[in-house]
């Protein structure tokens, strides 16, 4: 005798197996890489008396080198002490500058993406603590002194502090710029906050430190 075969038909549309059963997982969402302009502290977050503005890209390429004291195209002594190369385009650098109109002092916030490691920059500053830079016939002496690394409440961040003077020209036509800077590195993002004045008066350390904390917190936000 032959037994009759049994068959059953299940209604409904076929569905793919869950990832847990097939052994495959959905591809992770790509990481969102924010441009420096999205990471730089907004002007309204600057304290009084600093009136801040976002610099357009063409102004960034001029203002950022000013904070190193060494202009592009300079001849330097010792040789090899040109500042590390930097891309000043909007995909790599953004700046906001606040000005105290009474004293002409400024506090600038610069955010750089894909910046070299802070340890490399520290080595450069140690080896090039005093540099004579000549451009268009004018020689400037740039002197940099490292300070105590500032503390910030961001896990994994590297920090660095420095003071710098730039003595340009000679005699009555000379000029001195004084700077104090705080730097934080968070992954490939570097935040540099610099106080700059045109005299030998002490820096506005309270507001410099305040802007530094605000700028680092803003850049590190999720």
């Amino acid at each position: 005798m032959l037994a009759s075969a049994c068959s059953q038909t299940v209604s409904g549309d076929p569905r793919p197996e869950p990832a847990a059963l097939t052994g495959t997982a959905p591809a992770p969402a790509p990481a969102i890489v924010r441009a420096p302009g999205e990471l730089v502290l907004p002007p309204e977050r600057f304290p009084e008396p600093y009136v801040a503005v976002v610099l357009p890209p063409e102004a960034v390429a001029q203002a950022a080198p000013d904070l190193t004291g060494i202009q592009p195209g300079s001849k330097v002594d010792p040789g090899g002490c040109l500042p590390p190369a930097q891309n000043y385009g909007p995909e790599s650098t953004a700046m906001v500058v606040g000005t105290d109109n009474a004293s002409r002092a400024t506090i600038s916030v610069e955010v750089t993406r894909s910046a070299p490691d802070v340890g490399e920059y520290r080595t450069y500053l140690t080896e090039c603590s005093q540099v004579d830079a000549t451009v268009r016939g004018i020689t400037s002496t740039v002197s940099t002194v490292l300070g105590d690394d500032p503390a910030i409440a961001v896990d994994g961040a590297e920090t660095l502090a420095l003071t710098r003077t730039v003595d340009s020209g000679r005699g009555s036509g000379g000029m001195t710029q004084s700077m104090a800077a705080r730097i934080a590195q968070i992954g490939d993002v570097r935040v540099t906050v610099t106080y700059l004045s045109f005299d030998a008066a002490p820096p506005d350390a309270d507001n410099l430190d305040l802007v530094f904390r605000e700028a680092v917190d803003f850049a590190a936000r999720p």
Side-chain angles (χ1 to χ4, degrees), residues 12 66 86 90 101-102 118 163 194 207 212-213 219:
D66 284 345
Q86 180 175 337
N101 292 317
V118 162
T163 56
T194 305
N207 278 322
F212 179 63
R213 291 192 300 270

Side-chain angles (χ1 to χ4, degrees), residues 1-221:
M1 296 178 64
L2 297 177
S4 60
C6 295
S7 64
Q8 289 184 335
T9 302
V10 179
S11 61
D13 297 329
R15 298 182 182 273
E17 293 288 347
L21 298 181
T22 62
T24 60
I32 298 175
V33 177
R34 291 180 290 170
E38 300 177 60
L39 302 175
V40 72
L41 189 70
E44 60 269 19
R45 299 278 290 270
F46 275 64
E48 294 183 352
Y50 297 92
V51 180
V53 295
V54 178
L55 296 189
E58 59 273 17
V60 170
Q62 180 177 355
D66 284 345
L67 301 180
T68 71
I70 301 175
Q71 295 296 319
S74 295
K75 294 182 178 180
V76 295
D77 182 22
C81 280
L82 285 172
Q86 180 175 337
N87 181 348
Y88 298 115
E91 71 281 0
S92 297
T93 305
M95 287 186 71
V96 174
V97 178
T99 303
D100 177 351
N101 292 317
S103 66
R104 294 196 305 144
T106 62
I107 293 179
S108 64
V109 177
E110 177 183 356
V111 173
T112 305
R113 188 118 222 175
S114 300
D117 182 80
V118 162
E120 296 179 27
Y121 191 49
R122 188 190 303 274
T123 299
Y124 161 77
L125 294 174
T126 300
E127 296 176 349
C128 300
S129 59
Q130 183 162 316
V131 181
D132 287 335
T134 302
V135 63
R136 295 186 291 275
I138 298 175
T139 298
S140 301
T141 299
V142 183
S143 303
T144 304
V145 177
L146 293 176
D148 295 332
D149 296 347
I152 55 173
V154 176
D155 291 340
E158 298 179 83
T159 63
L160 184 151
L162 63 86
T163 56
R164 174 177 287 145
T165 58
V166 182
D167 295 310
S168 305
R170 298 289 184 269
S172 59
M175 180 180 68
T176 297
Q177 292 177 306
S178 300
M179 304 181 210
R182 310 280 188 264
I183 299 171
Q185 183 99 13
I186 310 162
D188 73 335
V189 174
R190 179 179 296 174
V191 179
T192 303
V193 180
T194 305
Y195 175 88
L196 183 150
S197 66
F198 295 91
D199 55 38
D204 183 359
D206 288 344
N207 278 322
L208 172 61
D209 289 338
L210 173 63
V211 173
F212 179 63
R213 291 192 300 270
E214 290 277 311
V216 172
D217 287 345
F218 189 84
R221 75 197 192 285

